[in-house]
Amino acid sequence: MSIVYDAAARTITLNTRESSYQMQIGPLGHLLHTYYGRRAEGNFGALHLKKDVGFSPNPHALAAVTRGWSLDTLPQELSGANSGDFRTPSVCAVTEDGRRGAELRYVRHEIRPGKYALNGLPAAFDPAGEAETLSVTLADEVLGLEAELLYAVYESRDLITRALRLRNTGKGALRLEKTASCCLDLPFGDWDLLHFHGRHAMERQPERLPMMNGVMRLGSRRVASSHQHNPFAILCNRHATEDAGDCYGLMLVYSGSFELEAEKDQMGSVRLTAGLLSEGFSWTLQPGESFDTPEALLCFRHDGLNALSQRYHRFLRRCLCRSPFSTAERPVLLNNWEATYFNFDRDKILTIAREARDLGAELFVLDDGWFGRRNDDRSSLGDWFVNEEKLPGGLEPLIRGVKELGLQFGLWVEPEMVSEDSELYRAHPDWALGVPGREPALSRSQLALDLSRSEVTDWIYETVAGLLRRYDIDYIKWDFNRSLTDLYSPALPPERQGELAHRCTLGLYSVLERLTAEFPHVLFEGCAGGGGRFDAGMLAYFPQIWCSDDTDPIERLTIQRGSCYGYPLSAVGAHVSASPNHQTGRRTPLDTRAMAAMASGFGYELDPGRLSEEEKERIRGQIRRFRELEDFAREGDLYRLTELDDKRDYEAWQIVSETKDESLVNLIVTHPRANPRPLHLRLKGLDPAARYRLEGLETFAAYLPEPPEPLPEIFSGAALLYAGLTLPRMMGDYPCVQIHLKRAED
Ligand code: DGJ
C-alpha cells in the first residue's frame, strides 16, 4: 500500500520508493501539508509549531482556545482565499451574490487502486497497474463549493500526480477565478528556484535563482505554454548539485496559458503553486457541474538534479505519452525546410529524397509550402489542398515517388491557424479569434482559429484525418506559429469570455485525442515555431517535439540541456543542418552537429546535393551509429556531467543503459582556448564493480595537435566513477568526442 490513512493521527501518507508525502486533517477540518521529502515514517504534524504570529488571523472557532493556529502560518495542502491565509491562493470562487474566496474543510477521502482520469485533459496513465489513487474531498459550504483533491502514487517511479476537481454543490451559479492544480508548502529550508525561460529560437534557458522574499511568478498569456517560460520548475536546496541534495520538481501537464508562483513568506516558508493562468480567467459552474484542472507531476529526490530528471524522463516515456513510438525506434528523417524553404517543386523534392535515401535516411518530410498558394508565409493557411503549380498531379505522385525510393513520407501542417489571404478565411472570417470592432494583431501574417468552437475543431479533425485517410502518410509535423491575441469568441456569452483561453486548449486536446487514437501508426512530431509548446500536455499525444528553430549545435547544447531537466531526450526532435548555420552563421564540424542532434527524433535538415562525397560518407556512418546506439540511448538514463554554473569550456553528457552494461559519453568543446586546463571528466551511473571497454577514442584524432599518449582501453567502473578520464587537448572549431563504453567480459 503506497497510501496510508492513520485515523488516530488523522494523517494520510503517500509513500513512493524513496519519498514520503503527508497531509493531516486539522482540528476544524482544514487540510494541512505536513511533509514531503525523503521516505520516512511518522506523524509530521508536530514539525509545525502552533505559534502566535502577529497579524496572522485565527479561525473563529479556535481563536478563543489558541492564537497559535493560523491558516497564514501553517503549511496548507490547498490554499484558499479571503479566509486568513495571505499567501498565494490556490482556489478562489465567487457566488452570484458576491461571496468570494474559499475556505475548504475535510469531508471524506477514498483510497482506490489505479489512476484517476481527467475530463478533456491529458493525464498520466497506469501501464503496469501500479498506481494508487487518493481522492480527498474538501468543501466550503458557504459558497457551495466542493474541491476533490486527486493524487496518484507511482511508488516505484517516485512520482506523485495531482489534480483538482471543483464542483458546484450550491443552488446558484459559481464563478471560479483561480484554480491551481497544485500547492506545495515547504516551511523549512533554503531553496533555489530553477526555471526555464527564453524566446523564439532560444528556448528553455536554465536559470537558477535563490528564492527572494516575496513572489517569483512565471507563466504565459499566449494560450501556448510558450518559448518564454516552461510549465516546469524545480526547487532545490541552495547546495544541491547535479548529484546531491534535495530537489522538488513540479511539471504541469498543460499546453496553454499558465502561471507558476513561488512565494517566500514572512516566516521563510516557501509555497509553490502552478495551474491555469488566473489573469483574465473565469469559469462559470452551474449547480451540479464540475471543473477539472490540468494535472501536475511532482517528484522529490534527495540525491540531486540528475536523479530528479531521470525520474521524469522514465515517467513521461512510459506513463504519459500514449504513442506507441514513445518507447520505440524512430525513423531517421530528412526534412526539406532548411534545404529549400518555400522554393521547391516536385523534381527538386524527389532529388532531395533520393539523396536522403542514399545517405541512409528512412523518412522524408515535406515541410511548409505544399498547399494553397503558399509561396511565402503570408497566405494560404487553412487551404489544406495541394499547390498544383509546385506539385503537379497533387501529393499522390510525389508520395509514390518517395515510397518507391523505399522511404516513408511525412507532411507538415499548421491546422490551428488561418491566413487572411485564404479560402478558409473568406468562407469563415468569424472562425478566427478577434475582438469585434478591432483589427486583430497579426503575427507571421496569420490569425489563430477559435478552437473553443466545436465546428472549428471538427473541421480541423476532418481536414487532418482526411489527409491521413487519403494519402499514405507515416509522419505529421504539427506546427503552431503564433501566440494568441484578441481573445473573444462570438460563440460564448459575455460572462463566459474568461473561459475562452482554456477552452481553446481543451479544443486542441479534443482534436489530438481523436487523431492520435484513430491513427496510432502515424508518428506525430509537435512543433510551435520550434519549442513554443514543449510541454507534458503535448507529449501526452506526441512522442517528440521539434525543440527549437535554432539548429546551431552549440546553441542547441543549452536549449537541450534546459529541456532535459524535465523532458526525456526521446522527446527532443533535433536535426543536423548546414554549416554555416542559417540562424547564427557559425561553422561547426559535421560530427559535432550530429552529436548534438543525436536524440531520438534524429534527422537532417539540409540539401544533400550540396554535400561533398566525404561529408556524405560521414553522414552514412552517423546514421549507422545512431541505429546502433538508438535503443539504449532512448531508454537509458541521462547524466549531465557538468554543473550549470561551472566556468567551463565544454558541455558533456552521458547516457547509461538500465543494466549499466553500456554507456555513451558525449563531449563538445564550446570554447577552444590557448593553454586550456586539462579536460577531465568523472563519469556517472556506472557499475563500480564492472570493467568497461572504451570505444571511439579515435573519433577525435582529427582535433589533436599531436598524437595522444595512448589511453588504456579497459577501465574499471570504479576508476571511471571516482578518478575519471582525462582527455587529450582538442583544437580547432568546436571539436567533439563520443566514447562508447561496454561492459567487458571477464
Ligand atoms: C516553424 C518550424 O519550427 C520550422 O521548422 C518550419 O516548419 C517552419 N515553421 C515552416 O513554416
Side-chain angles (χ1 to χ4, degrees), residues 337 342 367-368 374 412 444 477 479 481 527 529-530 546 549 605:
W337 178 242
F342 292 103
D367 210 280
D368 195 355
R374 181 93 165 162
W412 178 97
R444 207 191 190 203
K477 177 174 173 186
D479 210 344
N481 280 300
C527 178
W546 180 231
D549 273 350
E605 184 152 335

Side-chain angles (χ1 to χ4, degrees), residues 482-499:
R482 66 161 291 174
S483 303
L484 273 47
T485 60
D486 301 279
L487 293 183
Y488 175 88
S489 175
L492 290 172
E495 70 280 9
R496 286 193 178 267
Q497 292 294 329
E499 302 179 10

Side-chain angles (χ1 to χ4, degrees), residues 18 69 155 157 228 231 239 253 281 313 317 331 349 358 387 416 423 430 443 578 599 612 624-625 668-669 684 716:
E18 297 195 53
W69 207 102
E155 184 166 355
R157 297 177 190 275
Q228 287 72 13
H239 306 292
V253 185
F281 167 83
H313 297 173
R317 277 197 305 263
I349 291 297
D358 291 345
N387 179 331
E416 299 160 74
E423 291 185 18
D430 61 311
S443 186
S612 68
R624 279 196 301 274
R625 190 161 174 79
I668 294 178
V669 177
K684 301 183 182 176
S716 72

